[in-house]
Amino acid sequence: MSAKEPKFCVVQTTIDDEAGAERIARALLAAKLAACIQIFPIRSFYQWNGETRADPEFLVQAKARTEDFQALAAAIRAAHSYEVPEILRLDVSAGDPAYLDWAARATARDAAAR
Amino acid sequence: MSAKEPKFCVVQTTIDDEAGAERIARALLAAKLAACIQIFPIRSFYQWNGETRADPEFLVQAKARTEDFQALAAAIRAAHSYEVPEILRLDVSAGDPAYLDWAARATARDAAAR
Amino acid sequence: MSAKEPKFCVVQTTIDDEAGAERIARALLAAKLAACIQIFPIRSFYQWNGETRADPEFLVQAKARTEDFQALAAAIRAAHSYEVPEILRLDVSAGDPAYLDWAARATARDAAAR
């Protein structure tokens, strides 16, 4: 990826219902903060109040510009039903050039909006 | 993530049955080696003894401290049914601060245990 | 991972049918461009011609040598039904040594083929 082109990342969160996962996906697309979003059916294991929980959840994986991470995390928190949602960023090291161009256009917002 | 806060990573393995995936998840939580674990239903394709295999499996994704990777890998091997399980680490570049705090508390063990 | 051992990465693409996902997986294995491939059932959200789409798809995740990324991306494009498929690379920071050895052998091709 050349210096001028935006860098991309994968940002993931998890949530306990599909409608909530869809709400997050549509909010990120509407704000042009993600080029596309994938939703995976999962089971999550974690400790809560001393008890091991094993709950059906959905993992939401957004492809976004790295420079938009803070705005994207804020948008996820705004659309999320949890008080402290998982929001983690993994950076993309390389990608198909035509796809990255498409993703850059899909997340293009005028400078003031960044 | 400030220098003092622990760095986090995503560690994944795959296994051919859900009970085994759950066994790994519970072992990592009990040892405080993972903050949370997600289990995904997948199909795996690989070559085995010259034959292309296409098997239903489960992908286990743990969110852990990077400094705990060796201990976490050892715990996965101990709980795993395969002789040579896939264990791969992808590093987290950024995350929601409140979530990272929660994950740090969920994986806090006294220094001797590290 | 020592300097001599190949570095590994996870490369992902998405496609709208399981037969296509399987075709990609088998092509990458046959060319020894991936050690193994996992296929996940997902729902994808994206904008297309001004409309928000929410389509069932499959995410294909290949474990490959980082040095093979360009050849692997070309093989994915050749086997893919989309004009501009998502092809993204996330680099592996560490892994189980025995697994990485297995993956190196599974993707060993003579120098001319690289």
Side-chain angles (χ1 to χ4, degrees), chain A residues 29-76:
Chain A
L29 284 177
K32 286 179 161 289
L33 283 168
C36 63
I37 297 107
Q38 276 74 41
I39 295 177
F40 301 70
I42 55 172
R43 276 178 75 212
S44 282
F45 291 72
Y46 56 98
Q47 303 275 20
W48 196 256
N49 298 337
E51 194 202 327
T52 299
R53 301 290 301 265
D55 299 336
E57 280 197 322
F58 294 86
L59 184 132
V60 179
Q61 186 191 78
K63 314 297 155 59
R65 294 179 181 219
T66 306
E67 68 196 64
D68 286 341
F69 174 66
Q70 295 304 336
L72 186 126
I76 289 175

Side-chain angles (χ1 to χ4, degrees), chain A residues 43-45 77 86 89 91, chain B residues 37 39 63 93-94 96:
Chain A
R43 276 178 75 212
S44 282
F45 291 72
R77 281 189 291 269
E86 167 181 316
R89 186 186 108 203
D91 289 340
Chain B
I37 297 107
I39 295 178
K63 314 296 154 60
S93 307
D96 175 274

Side-chain angles (χ1 to χ4, degrees), chain A residues 76-90:
Chain A
I76 289 175
R77 281 189 291 269
H80 213 294
S81 50
Y82 296 0
E83 211 185 303
V84 178
E86 167 181 316
I87 304 174
L88 296 176
R89 186 186 108 203
L90 302 172

Side-chain angles (χ1 to χ4, degrees), chain B:
Chain B
M1 289 182 283
S2 85
K4 276 191 292 46
E5 286 156 31
K7 301 242 179 295
F8 281 88
C9 61
V10 167
V11 177
Q12 66 179 49
T13 189
T14 56
I15 190 165
D16 57 358
D17 77 321
E18 194 157 17
E22 189 162 329
R23 187 177 58 244
I24 291 168
R26 291 185 184 279
L28 298 183
L29 284 177
K32 287 178 161 287
L33 282 168
C36 64
I37 297 107
Q38 276 74 43
I39 295 178
F40 301 70
I42 55 171
R43 275 180 75 212
S44 281
F45 289 73
Y46 56 98
Q47 302 275 20
W48 196 257
N49 299 336
E51 194 202 328
T52 299
R53 302 289 302 264
D55 300 335
E57 280 197 322
F58 295 85
L59 184 133
V60 179
Q61 186 191 77
K63 314 296 154 60
R65 295 179 181 218
T66 306
E67 66 195 67
D68 286 341
F69 173 68
Q70 295 304 336
L72 186 124
I76 290 175
R77 281 189 292 268
H80 212 295
S81 49
Y82 295 1
E83 211 186 303
V84 178
E86 168 181 318
I87 304 175
L88 295 177
R89 185 185 109 206
L90 302 172
D91 289 342
V92 167
S93 307
D96 175 274
Y99 175 79
L100 293 178
D101 283 349
W102 172 79
R105 289 193 305 278
T107 53
R109 307 193 311 283
D110 60 60
R114 294 212 170 282

